[in-house]
Amino acid sequence: MRARLARMMAARIFPGAGWLGPLVERALPGVSRVLALSLFAAAVGLAAPMVTKALIDRGIMARDMQALVIWAAVGFALGLGVVGLGIVSQMAHLRASQAMLGDLRRTVLGAALARDPQAQALTVGEAQTRIDGDCAEIQRFLFDSGLVAVTALFRLVGGTALMLALDWRLALLPALAAPFELWFLSWARPRTQARAEEVREHRGGLSSQLAETFMLIPGLRALNAFGTRETGFGALQDDLFRAQERQRLWTEAVGAVSQILTAVVRSAVLLLGGWLVVTGSWPIGSLIAFLAYTGMMAGPLRNLLGLYHAQARAKVALARLSGIVDDAHDPAGGETCPLRPSLIRLQGARSPWGGHAPVALELRAGQGVLLDGPSGIGKSALLASLTGEVALAEGTTEIDGKPAATYSAASRREAITHVPQRPCILRGTLRDNLLVAAPDATDADCREVLGICDLLDWADAHRGLDTGLTELGATLSGGMRQRIAIARALLRPSGVLIFDESFSEIDAARCERILDAIDRACADRLRIFVAHSGAVRARSYDQRITLEAEPRPGVPLPMTRRAAV
């Protein structure tokens, strides 16, 4: 029942965004508690003007001191109740809102991490903007829209009933203004959405430039390009500020129309209600209560109409988030790839970049293989196709006799570990970096792979596995970063290890020691190397495969050179 209600709510608020249904379902208990508190607080608030009316008419105007004291005490108690309810309601709102926002961010982050590798690239800054700002926009609307709608309707219906009870003729005045305000907000809504899109676009560009700058500080310093970068950042920031100013000006103008309508209605009530009081046909307490309800009704009505505008802004954020979620692929789909494959076969395989001729390869467990060829010919892309990160331009890949696509992407990445030239070093401890891909490994396992990679003495000279590493390993040399990445790869149980220029910054003598240790420790695994120079190329391999350039039309296709050394 709850799941059906959640799906229905998500579909009504954002048609076509079915992925929001489970989020709404998980948030419903928290929203329900906040809603109950909000309705109770609204009921107390609706009672306040009637208490004020009784205090004035039955106490002050009737010159009844006892009634005055009683109604003053009731009003004070209501005031205390409103304060207490406000605190409890705000805390409940905060907790439920945080839970929903956290759930939404985790969902989008998971989708971003599971995006189809062939999908359009998403910059770091753009991803940050979407996961932070767009998630917050969607969460606010999803969480608050139901609360605002139900609470506003409750206050609107209750307040209207009380206004009708006070004087049905004056109650017609606010009703006359509502159609015009609805028409105006409908007219303004597309412009609100356009300005929201403009701000989101500029914010994403600025975040992307900022993230890129911090990642490229060494290169920019070498080029003495900080000044140029700061100028570019300033220009992007000015564009964002101007877009925000246009959005704020538009928002204020739209809000001003609603405020003017409220002022007109309030003035009309004062004139007509004041005339009724002057002529003696209406007590002054009723006028004061009616004015209070007029102000109270303006809020709920504006909130209901404002939801229509808020949805326009939220749709911009939803489109950006759906762009991430829709590109996510199911890592659990398909069969489980063998953790230690015996045979990988490529037939007529050609990577989409580099222009090498199609190749036919048979790679077996326990072999050491060097994949060679000119720089840029497509070696890395061909190897990345084994894990599904890159789709082959043509040809097929089989793992243990089955098409690679038969297996889930997650299990293929578990069976095949690809160590790139630029290592992934995370801020945290050395242990954190080793366990990120092998969370079940013990400290003894970690120390073993550190020994293989000639890192154990260095670690023990510092804080062992608790040695702190900075973001991107900025305080380490390139060779140190590569050795940590290699150690992390060895910690995984993968049957296939791909070292793609992974030793390029390690000195020759140390590289020889590490390679010998890897051969001893991983003799039963398939080890594939790519290297343009250094100790890696000088070693003996079971296969040495060279990718040839794609021949020109009319020129016979050369055979892929393969040598056993």
Side-chain angles (χ1 to χ4, degrees):
M1 179 64 182
R2 191 170 78 183
R4 187 181 309 161
L5 176 61
R7 288 194 300 269
M8 183 181 69
M9 289 175 61
R12 289 290 180 86
I13 297 172
F14 292 121
W19 61 275
L20 289 173
L23 285 163
V24 175
E25 180 185 355
R26 291 190 289 270
L28 272 180
V31 174
S32 300
R33 287 191 293 270
V34 177
L35 180 58
L37 288 168
S38 298
L39 291 177
F40 187 50
V44 173
L46 286 173
M50 298 304 289
V51 171
T52 302
K53 174 184 181 302
L55 184 147
I56 293 172
D57 292 340
R58 299 181 186 181
I60 296 175
M61 300 307 295
R63 300 181 184 277
D64 186 339
M65 191 62 193
Q66 184 179 3
L68 178 62
V69 171
I70 291 173
W71 286 111
V74 172
F76 181 73
L78 280 177
L80 287 180
V82 169
V83 172
L85 279 172
I87 294 174
V88 174
S89 179
Q90 286 298 322
M91 290 306 299
H93 187 286
L94 177 63
R95 292 193 183 102
S97 181
Q98 286 174 333
M100 186 178 189
L101 179 58
D103 193 5
L104 179 56
R105 282 178 173 162
R106 285 191 297 270
T107 298
V108 176
L109 176 61
L113 296 176
R115 290 183 85 228
D116 189 338
Q118 279 76 56
Q120 183 178 0
L122 191 66
T123 64
V124 174
E126 183 67 24
Q128 288 176 335
T129 301
R130 296 192 191 190
I131 293 174
D132 185 14
D134 291 331
C135 281
E137 185 80 41
I138 291 296
Q139 181 271 333
R140 278 195 300 268
F141 187 81
L142 275 176
F143 191 89
D144 291 337
S145 61
L147 291 174
V148 169
V150 175
T151 305
L153 282 172
F154 178 83
R155 294 178 61 188
L156 197 61
V157 172
T160 301
L162 292 170
M163 289 169 72
L164 288 170
L166 289 170
D167 192 293
W168 68 270
R169 296 164 297 179
L170 291 181
L172 294 177
L173 292 175
L176 294 175
F180 176 78
E181 188 167 7
L182 178 60
W183 168 84
F184 173 75
L185 290 175
S186 299
W187 172 83
R189 188 174 190 261
R191 293 160 180 80
T192 300
Q193 184 167 341
R195 280 158 179 77
E197 289 172 350
E198 182 184 20
V199 168
R200 291 290 181 188
E201 181 179 350
H202 285 298
R203 185 175 286 127
L206 184 68
S207 297
S208 296
Q209 205 258 23
L210 189 62
E212 182 183 62
T213 297
F214 278 107
M215 288 190 294
L216 299 177
I217 282 179
L220 294 172
R221 182 184 291 114
L223 294 170
N224 197 26
F226 285 164
T228 304
R229 200 65 176 175
E230 287 175 8
T231 301
F233 178 80
L236 289 174
Q237 185 170 242
D238 290 341
D239 289 341
L240 173 61
F241 288 165
R242 284 191 289 269
Q244 288 175 328
E245 288 172 2
R246 288 190 291 270
Q247 184 187 39
R248 174 58 64 87
L249 182 60
W250 178 253
T251 301
E252 293 297 330
V254 170
V257 172
S258 295
Q259 292 171 9
I260 290 171
L261 283 174
T262 300
V264 169
V265 171
R266 186 177 179 84
S267 297
V269 169
L270 272 172
L271 287 174
L272 293 177
W275 175 76
L276 290 174
V277 171
V278 169
T279 58
S281 56
W282 214 30
I284 190 170
S286 296
L287 174 59
I288 293 173
F290 197 95
L291 285 171
Y293 285 125
T294 301
M296 291 173 65
M297 293 306 97
L301 183 61
R302 192 173 298 122
N303 287 339
L304 287 172
L305 296 175
L307 286 176
Y308 186 60
H309 258 228
Q311 187 187 31
R313 293 190 298 270
K315 278 186 174 181
V316 176
L318 178 67
R320 290 158 56 86
L321 294 183
S322 293
I324 294 178
V325 175
D326 292 345
D327 285 336
H329 62 296
D330 181 11
E335 299 181 22
T336 300
C337 182
L339 188 60
R340 296 291 180 96
S342 300
L343 173 65
I344 295 178
R345 179 181 288 115
L346 286 81
Q347 293 288 348
R350 183 168 63 84
S351 68
W353 310 309
H356 66 82
V359 296
L361 307 176
E362 286 192 359
L363 309 173
R364 298 183 180 276
Q367 288 186 334
V369 178
L370 178 70
L371 184 63
D372 203 1
S375 178
I377 199 169
K379 300 184 293 296
S380 296
L382 185 65
L383 293 175
S385 72
L386 298 181
T387 59
E389 291 298 307
V390 174
L392 290 173
E394 61 179 281
T396 60
T397 302
E398 292 182 357
I399 299 177
D400 281 358
K402 292 185 178 182
T406 302
Y407 304 113
S408 70
S411 65
R412 283 167 67 182
R413 288 193 295 268
E414 197 68 24
I416 304 171
T417 295
H418 190 169
V419 187
Q421 182 177 11
R422 293 182 178 178
C424 170
I425 304 298
L426 308 174
R427 182 177 61 184
T429 65
L430 179 59
R431 180 187 288 103
D432 294 335
N433 275 268
L434 294 175
L435 297 184
V436 67
D440 296 329
T442 65
D443 283 2
D445 296 330
C446 292
R447 291 181 63 82
E448 180 181 354
V449 295
L450 289 176
I452 292 173
C453 294
D454 209 5
L455 283 168
L456 193 55
D457 290 342
W458 167 80
D460 287 340
H462 291 79
R463 298 181 59 195
L465 293 174
D466 293 320
T467 300
L469 303 180
T470 59
E471 188 175 20
L472 302 179
T475 58
L476 303 175
S477 67
M480 289 285 287
R481 291 194 291 268
Q482 286 188 331
R483 282 189 281 155
I484 291 173
I486 293 168
R488 179 170 51 207
L490 298 178
L491 200 59
R492 305 187 75 210
S494 307
V496 181
L497 298 172
I498 299 173
F499 298 102
D500 191 354
E501 288 286 354
S502 311
F503 296 81
S504 60
E505 298 187 53
I506 304 175
D507 62 89
R510 179 173 279 121
C511 186
E512 281 286 354
R513 292 198 299 272
I514 295 173
L515 288 169
D516 287 341
I518 289 176
D519 283 345
R520 291 192 298 270
C522 306
D524 58 339
R525 307 196 210 184
L526 170 60
R527 306 172 306 283
I528 305 174
F529 297 85
V530 174
H532 288 105
S533 60
V536 175
R537 292 182 60 84
R539 296 178 65 80
S540 297
Y541 294 95
D542 298 296
Q543 291 191 70
R544 188 182 291 263
I545 301 164
T546 302
L547 298 185
E548 302 283 359
E550 182 77 30
R552 294 187 301 273
V555 179
L557 180 70
M559 294 294 291
T560 299
R561 294 202 302 272
R562 181 186 288 102
V565 180

